[in-house]
């Protein structure tokens, strides 16, 4: 089942704080408006309780204008949502002025599941003190609730936020939002200091281009029922009520209801709720299956495919927005590795702008492993027998291809059957070669496997693959595979992603290894489920 995320923004437009820069602090709220907001929120919670199976929602995040957690119906509603089977996380943005004690009493009193609750707590220097705020954050964290804290990166707040970071528990991430009203670029010294507080701060400065294709499993539901894919996207042509009516008709189906076709007119995803909710590989690696909550994963190693992952299709380098995330991972002590079918020299050339962040990797489809630690290199090659080259030249002797042998220090570790660019290998041809390789293994040669990539048909030993590469490198590092993450876009990446627990990070359309061949358990381009 796809892990869908829904944001909810009610009609509430009021706050109990009076920050000088915020218009909501000057807006009065009537009892009638509060009653209406409560009614709409409770109707939304009921719709989730009744139709979650058909809606296939895994996470809910409340993103109010103003402050919602001071109202008891939001605290009670979040508790109800966490009790819904299938819901894995429910959270809210809050200034935390209600206090940790009240949050915990009401949530547990309503039977809420603490391990599912997520709190995004914003620190307001004009309205609260560091000691009070950090004490509440600590109490919530110690209760077993996942929480992050943060503030706007106003230059005048810098020293105070340094103090806040010292006061918060080490396991709590302190994020910094770029200040929209700064009216000038941050200086390099300011960026450096903000990154000392929040290693991910540069992601605020290099936001990714808008891309609706990575937003198919998310919705923002407004209090009046209107739908968007995020807080800065246009209104969609379908309402929440209409979507729930469709869900009613498929309650007993395993497929569920389709979310509306996403619509996006933004050149860039200019705030975290926009770019942090995208279904892309870096968000999943940094923040797990529901990155919108802004609560980082704590990983020790990360493995990345290159083509269509680190380097998007049609591009020639790793984008700045991706590079900023990689730099942050490195700063947090996570070791970075490539996981690619490319030879290592070509991998470094393609990723020249980030190569210094990487400590080696899995190359040649898993046939070459490399880890560099403080200048010391550890390497392993899955060595092939030289006789395989002559035998391959006799396979379908009339074929139009060249045999390229890849060697390092005299070790043969990969063979490529190369055709002209316009002449791709078919899955039938690849299957035929695999049968040929099996017949060779039956006669005593080392078992080998083949996989096609356009006009290249790659051959490596059978045990040489990315999954085994991740296992081996994690063993070299002395860490568990569950302390690692892996990201890619093809069948070659599937098993290493499952191994590290990021199978859900796979894109909707998986690049098939063999064009034309139905891939087991994966959808073909152009076909979507639910």
């Amino acid at each position: 089942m796809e892990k869908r995320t829904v944001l909810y923004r009610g009609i509430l437009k009021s706050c109990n704080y009076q920050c000088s820069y915020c218009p909501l602090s000057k807006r009065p709220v009537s009892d009638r408006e509060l009653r209406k907001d409560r009614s709409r929120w409770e109707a939304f919670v009921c719709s989730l309780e009744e139709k979650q199976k058909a809606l296939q929602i895994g996470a809910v995040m409340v993103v109010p204008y103003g402050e919602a957690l001071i109202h008891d119906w939001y605290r009670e509603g979040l508790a109800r949502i966490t009790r819904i089977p299938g819901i894995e996380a429910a959270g809210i943005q809050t200034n935390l002025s209600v206090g940790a004690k009240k949050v915990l009493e009401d949530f547990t009193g309503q039977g809420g599941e603490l391990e599912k609750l997520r709190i995004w707590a914003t620190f307001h220097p004009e309205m609260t003190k560091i000691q009070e705020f950090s004490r509440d954050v600590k109490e919530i964290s110690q209760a077993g609730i996942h929480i992050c804290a943060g503030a706007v990166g106003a230059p005048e707040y810098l020293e105070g936020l340094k103090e806040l970071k010292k006061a918060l528990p080490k396991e709590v991430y302190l994020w910094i939002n770029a200040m929209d009203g700064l009216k000038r670029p941050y200086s390099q010294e300011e960026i450096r200091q903000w990154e000392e507080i929040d290693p991910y701060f540069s992601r605020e400065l290099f936001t990714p281009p808008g891309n609706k294709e990575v937003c198919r499993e998310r919705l923002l539901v407004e209090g009046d029922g209107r739908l968007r894919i995020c807080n800065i996207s246009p209104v969609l042509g379908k309402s929440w009520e209409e979507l729930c009516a469709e869900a009613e008709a498929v309650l007993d189906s395993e497929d569920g209801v389709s979310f509306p076709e996403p619509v996006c007119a933004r050149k860039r995803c200019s705030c975290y709720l926009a770019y942090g909710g995208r279904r892309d590989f870096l968000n999943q690696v940094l923040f797990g299956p529901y990155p919108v909550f802004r609560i980082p994963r704590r990983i020790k190693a990360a493995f990345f495919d290159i083509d269509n992952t680190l380097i998007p299709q049609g591009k020639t380098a790793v984008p700045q927005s991706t590079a900023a995330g990689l730099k942050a991972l490195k700063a947090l002590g996570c070791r970075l590795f490539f996981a690619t079918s490319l030879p290592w020299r070509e991998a470094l050339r393609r990723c020249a702008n980030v190569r210094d962040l990487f400590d080696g990797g899995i190359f040649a489809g898993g046939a070459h492993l490399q880890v560099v630690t403080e200048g010391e290199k550890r390497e392993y090659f899955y060595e092939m027998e030289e006789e395989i080259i002559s035998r391959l030249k006799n396979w379908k002797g009339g074929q139009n291809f060249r045999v390229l042998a890849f060697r390092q220090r005299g070790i043969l570790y990969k063979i490529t059957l190369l055709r002209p660019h316009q002449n791709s290998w078919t899955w039938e041809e690849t299957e035929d070669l695999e049968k040929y390789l099996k017949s060779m293994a039956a006669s005593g040669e080392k078992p080998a496997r083949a996989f096609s990539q356009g006009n290249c048909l790659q051959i490596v030993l059978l045990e040489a693959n990315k999954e085994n590469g991740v296992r081996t490198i994690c063993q070299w590092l002395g860490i568990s595979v569950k302390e690692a993450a892996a990201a890619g876009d093809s069948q070659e990446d599937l098993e290493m992603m499952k191994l590290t627990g990021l199978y859900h990070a796979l894109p909707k359309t998986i690049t098939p290894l063999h064009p034309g061949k139905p891939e087991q358990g994966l959808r073909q381009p152009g076909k979507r489920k639910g």
Side-chain angles (χ1 to χ4, degrees):
M1 186 184 86
E2 302 294 346
K3 293 180 179 286
R4 292 171 163 179
T5 301
V6 166
L7 306 184
Y8 179 84
R9 173 169 284 166
I11 65 171
L12 187 70
K13 290 186 174 73
S14 62
C15 186
N16 60 328
Y17 277 180
Q18 286 80 48
C19 299
S20 59
Y21 56 85
C22 180
L24 294 175
S25 66
K26 302 172 181 64
R27 186 183 183 279
V29 59
S30 67
D31 290 342
R32 180 177 178 275
E33 184 179 5
L34 291 176
R35 287 194 298 271
K36 189 175 181 180
D37 181 69
R38 178 172 190 163
S39 175
R40 297 282 179 83
W41 164 246
E42 290 179 346
F44 171 74
V45 174
C46 285
S47 65
L48 292 178
E49 290 173 326
E50 295 170 358
K51 302 178 177 68
Q52 189 281 334
K53 182 180 177 182
L55 292 168
Q56 297 185 342
I57 294 167
V60 178
M61 174 72 161
V62 182
V63 289
Y65 283 125
E67 178 58 30
L69 202 59
I70 57 174
H71 302 295
D72 57 7
W73 56 89
Y74 279 100
R75 300 192 298 273
E76 294 166 4
L78 284 170
R80 287 169 59 186
I81 291 172
T82 64
R83 299 200 306 264
I84 300 173
I87 295 287
E88 298 180 1
I92 190 168
Q93 288 180 315
T94 175
N95 60 26
L96 213 54
S97 58
V98 69
K101 183 177 180 180
K102 190 64 174 171
V103 171
L104 294 171
E105 283 180 353
D106 286 4
F107 192 77
T108 56
Q110 293 291 323
E113 298 184 25
L114 287 175
E115 67 276 8
K116 291 186 180 181
L117 185 59
R118 306 288 186 269
I119 299 290
W120 168 324
T122 303
F123 177 68
H124 295 74
E126 294 181 17
M127 299 303 301
T128 189
K129 297 184 183 300
I130 290 172
Q131 294 79 6
E132 297 170 352
F133 183 82
S134 61
R135 183 180 62 243
D136 281 332
V137 170
K138 183 177 181 179
E139 189 173 343
I140 287 172
S141 178
Q142 288 178 337
I145 295 171
H146 297 280
I147 184 170
C148 68
V152 174
E156 62 268 28
Y157 296 163
L158 178 61
E159 294 306 316
L161 293 176
K162 287 180 180 179
E163 291 301 313
L164 177 61
K165 186 176 180 70
K166 293 178 183 177
L168 289 172
K170 289 185 178 180
E171 68 272 13
V172 174
Y173 167 53
L174 178 61
W175 46 264
I176 303 296
N177 277 349
M179 184 176 176
D180 289 337
L182 189 58
K183 298 181 180 178
R184 65 168 175 81
Y186 285 99
S187 69
Q188 288 302 309
E189 177 59 20
E190 286 173 331
I191 293 172
R192 184 191 66 78
Q193 292 193 68
W194 288 126
E195 286 183 337
E196 287 182 356
I197 297 172
D198 175 10
Y200 297 140
F201 177 70
S202 286
R203 297 190 81 208
E204 288 279 293
L205 307 179
F206 302 111
T207 53
N211 179 5
K212 66 180 183 180
E213 294 305 314
V214 291
C215 294
R216 291 188 174 275
E217 302 307 317
R218 65 187 294 199
L219 284 177
L220 184 142
V221 182
E222 305 223 26
D224 60 7
R226 291 182 299 171
L227 299 179
R228 307 174 189 270
I229 59 172
C230 75
N231 58 309
I232 60 174
S233 68
V235 174
L236 303 177
K238 184 181 293 185
S239 71
W240 178 250
E241 289 73 18
E242 290 171 326
L243 187 65
C244 287
E246 293 177 11
E248 181 70 31
V250 294
L251 282 178
D252 296 326
S253 170
E254 293 298 323
D255 292 340
V257 66
S258 296
F259 271 13
E261 185 69 18
V263 177
C264 180
R266 305 292 298 200
K267 289 185 178 180
R268 305 200 77 80
C269 295
S270 57
C271 70
Y272 188 82
L273 284 182
Y275 74 77
R278 291 162 51 128
R279 183 189 175 89
D280 62 33
F281 77 94
L282 193 57
N283 276 340
Q284 304 283 323
V285 169
L286 298 178
F287 294 97
Y290 303 115
V292 74
F293 295 120
R294 214 167 186 171
I295 298 172
R297 298 182 76 211
R298 304 295 182 180
I299 55 175
K300 296 180 179 178
F303 299 81
F304 298 97
D305 182 38
I306 294 178
D307 291 323
N308 300 325
T309 302
L310 287 178
I311 301 178
Q313 189 171 14
K315 303 295 182 181
T316 57
V318 177
Q320 283 183 308
S321 56
T322 301
L326 296 175
K327 179 183 175 184
L329 271 177
K330 188 78 172 180
L332 289 167
C334 177
R335 302 189 66 177
L336 308 183
F337 299 95
F338 298 110
T340 176
S341 62
L342 297 171
W344 72 274
R345 290 186 187 277
E346 178 64 11
L348 296 183
R349 186 191 69 79
R350 294 284 310 280
C351 299
N353 61 327
V354 296
R355 60 182 289 178
D356 291 342
L357 299 175
F358 283 76
D359 295 331
I362 302 162
F363 304 100
H368 174 200
L369 310 180
Q370 180 188 108
V371 171
V372 180
T373 303
E374 297 179 350
E376 295 292 324
K377 184 189 295 185
R378 184 171 184 176
E379 261 182 323
Y380 183 78
F381 295 91
Y382 285 89
E383 185 174 4
M384 305 177 77
E385 297 169 337
E386 290 288 340
E387 291 76 10
I388 191 174
I389 296 176
S390 58
R391 296 194 64 175
L392 284 171
K393 289 179 179 178
N394 295 325
W395 173 65
K396 291 193 171 182
Q399 289 285 349
N400 179 24
F401 64 82
R402 290 192 296 139
V403 178
L404 304 181
F406 291 82
R407 296 181 179 86
Q408 189 80 4
R409 297 193 296 274
I411 298 173
L412 174 67
Y413 63 93
K414 187 180 84 161
I415 296 170
T416 297
L417 306 186
L418 180 67
R419 281 179 166 174
H421 281 291
Q422 69 276 11
N423 193 0
S424 295
W425 293 92
T426 66
W427 76 266
E428 291 91 350
E429 290 171 320
T430 307
E431 194 172 66
D432 185 78
L433 176 58
E434 288 184 328
K435 290 178 181 178
Y436 186 70
L437 293 172
K438 286 179 181 178
S439 70
M440 292 167 58
S443 63
E445 295 195 24
K446 291 181 180 180
R449 70 184 185 96
F451 58 97
S452 63
Q453 295 177 306
N455 64 320
C456 296
L457 190 49
Q458 315 283 13
I459 303 167
V460 295
L461 288 188
L462 185 63
E463 63 266 39
N465 55 61
K466 293 183 181 182
E467 178 191 6
N468 284 340
V470 170
R471 289 185 188 278
T472 299
I473 289 180
C474 285
Q475 287 174 357
W476 289 355
L477 299 177
I479 64 173
S480 162
V481 293
K482 296 306 179 184
E483 296 177 290
D489 78 315
S490 78
Q491 279 274 355
E492 275 289 285
D493 306 308
L494 181 60
E495 295 305 320
M496 75 168 181
M497 293 174 73
K498 285 183 178 179
L499 181 68
T500 61
L502 276 185
Y503 180 39
H504 52 261
L506 285 164
K508 289 290 275 186
T509 300
I510 305 301
T511 303
L513 287 182
H514 313 306
K517 179 180 180 180
E519 300 291 359
Q520 183 72 27
L522 296 171
R523 301 183 194 104
Q524 292 304 296
K527 294 184 179 180
R528 300 183 62 250
K529 175 183 177 183

